[in-house]
């Protein structure tokens, strides 16, 4: 089976080209200031996974899902709101924490995250979440979403033993590199792809700071638009 190719699209947006040939988009805010021009109009989208409903994560989900008839998996309240925005209603794509959804051999398990979530007009969109993404070849990626470090990350590590953790490091709205170092310790994960930094001046954390604080961890920090194999 092929490798797992992970492309950072700036902020919290990623594309995963899965070993089974699927194109999965995480939190596809493709109009973020750091997303390369060439990545703003995808040629294919097979699956969209959302951590929560804030605009910097929801991004162009509605347009992309409609253009590519792509399934969208999100917590039940957010998924219901998306149906009200014109997407097909799919209860089977609307789990809650602890639940899993399997689509084409990709298993998505929803975890906790410490943050908030609402639409631009203040509409409640359910709790924010993280995901454990298990790909067709067994590679397991923990996507923390926007969160602080929290003790139950230890449980996520114990249950899922992620190969890689995608963690926010910018600070202010999420944990900073110090929090991410603690999160990695709790998870027991030794490979990390940082995100949610550098988009705005407020998001100050850097991968180098995380490297300094988590010396035992391989910090993979692709540039926006860069693809790494994990
Ligand atoms: Zn965010």
């Amino acid at each position: 089976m092929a490798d797992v190719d992970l492309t950072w699209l700036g902020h919290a947006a990623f594309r995963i080209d899965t070993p089974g040939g699927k194109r999965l988009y995480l939190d596809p805010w493709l109009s973020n200031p750091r997303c390369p021009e060439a990545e703003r109009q995808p040629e294919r989208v097979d699956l969209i996974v959302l951590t929560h409903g804030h605009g910097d994560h929801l991004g162009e989900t509605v347009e992309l899902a409609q253009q590519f008839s792509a399934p969208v998996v999100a917590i039940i309240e957010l998924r219901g709101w998306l149906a009200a925005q014109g997407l097909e209603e799919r209860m089977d794509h609307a789990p809650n924490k602890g639940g899993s959804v399997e689509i084409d051999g990709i298993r998505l398990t929803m975890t906790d995250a410490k943050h908030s979530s609402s639409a631009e007009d203040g509409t409640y969109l359910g709790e924010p979440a993280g995901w454990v993404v298990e790909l067709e070849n067994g590679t397991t990626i923990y996507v923390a979403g926007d969160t602080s470090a929290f003790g139950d990350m230890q449980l996520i590590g114990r249950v899922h033993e992620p190969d890689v953790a995608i963690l926010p490091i910018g600070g202010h709205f999420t944990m900073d590199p110090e929090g991410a170092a603690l999160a990695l310790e709790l998870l027991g994960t030794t490979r990390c792809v940082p995100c949610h930094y550098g988009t705005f001046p407020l998001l100050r954390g850097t991968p180098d700071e995380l490297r300094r604080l988590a010396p035992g961890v391989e910090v993979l920090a692709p540039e926006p638009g860069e693809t790494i194999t994990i």
Side-chain angles (χ1 to χ4, degrees):
M1 227 176 215
D3 293 324
V4 179
D5 286 334
L6 181 72
T7 307
W8 189 38
L9 303 174
H11 203 61
F14 287 89
R15 184 178 71 233
I16 302 176
D17 286 271
T18 77
K22 298 289 175 193
R23 283 212 148 165
L24 186 166
Y25 278 79
L26 287 169
D27 287 350
W29 180 37
L30 304 184
S31 58
N32 81 71
R34 299 196 69 198
C35 184
E37 196 55 46
E39 299 286 354
R40 290 174 184 238
Q41 307 285 341
E43 56 198 30
R44 185 157 64 87
V45 178
D46 298 317
L47 176 59
I48 297 172
V49 179
L50 298 177
T51 60
H52 63 295
H54 285 158
D56 61 317
H57 298 256
L58 176 73
E60 288 75 44
T61 293
V62 173
E63 295 87 335
L64 293 170
Q66 285 173 336
Q67 186 183 349
F68 296 99
S69 304
V72 180
V73 182
I75 200 161
I76 181 163
E77 291 86 355
L78 172 56
R79 189 61 185 78
W81 179 85
L82 287 166
Q85 310 305 305
L87 300 194
E88 188 190 355
E89 202 163 323
R90 290 291 298 262
M91 195 57 82
D92 56 335
H93 295 163
N96 211 319
K97 292 173 185 179
S100 297
V101 171
E102 193 164 330
I103 297 180
D104 295 332
I106 301 164
R107 188 174 169 82
L108 306 161
T109 302
M110 186 176 282
T111 71
D112 202 8
K114 305 293 184 192
H115 195 64
S116 56
S117 178
S118 59
E120 264 179 22
D121 64 2
T123 303
Y124 174 67
L125 294 182
E127 289 200 5
W131 291 99
V132 175
V133 180
E134 192 181 335
L135 298 169
E136 303 95 324
N137 66 352
T139 300
T140 301
I141 304 170
Y142 169 52
V143 181
D146 282 7
T147 186
S148 60
F150 56 93
D152 285 355
M153 285 179 168
Q154 195 165 28
L155 205 55
I156 294 170
R158 192 174 104 191
V159 174
H160 298 282
E161 299 180 347
D163 297 297
V164 182
I166 297 179
L167 303 181
I169 64 160
H172 194 75
F173 299 118
T174 69
M175 54 188 167
D176 58 10
E178 200 178 343
L182 176 61
L184 288 159
E185 193 185 312
L186 290 164
L187 289 161
T189 305
T190 56
R191 299 178 87 198
C192 176
V193 178
C195 69
H196 218 277
Y197 70 94
T199 325
F200 313 113
L202 265 179
L203 308 187
R204 291 190 194 92
T206 65
D208 279 345
E209 216 178 324
L210 178 58
R211 286 186 183 106
R212 187 173 58 76
L213 295 164
V217 173
E218 185 185 3
V219 178
L220 306 158
E223 291 297 314
E226 189 185 341
T227 300
I228 55 171
T229 299
I230 57 172

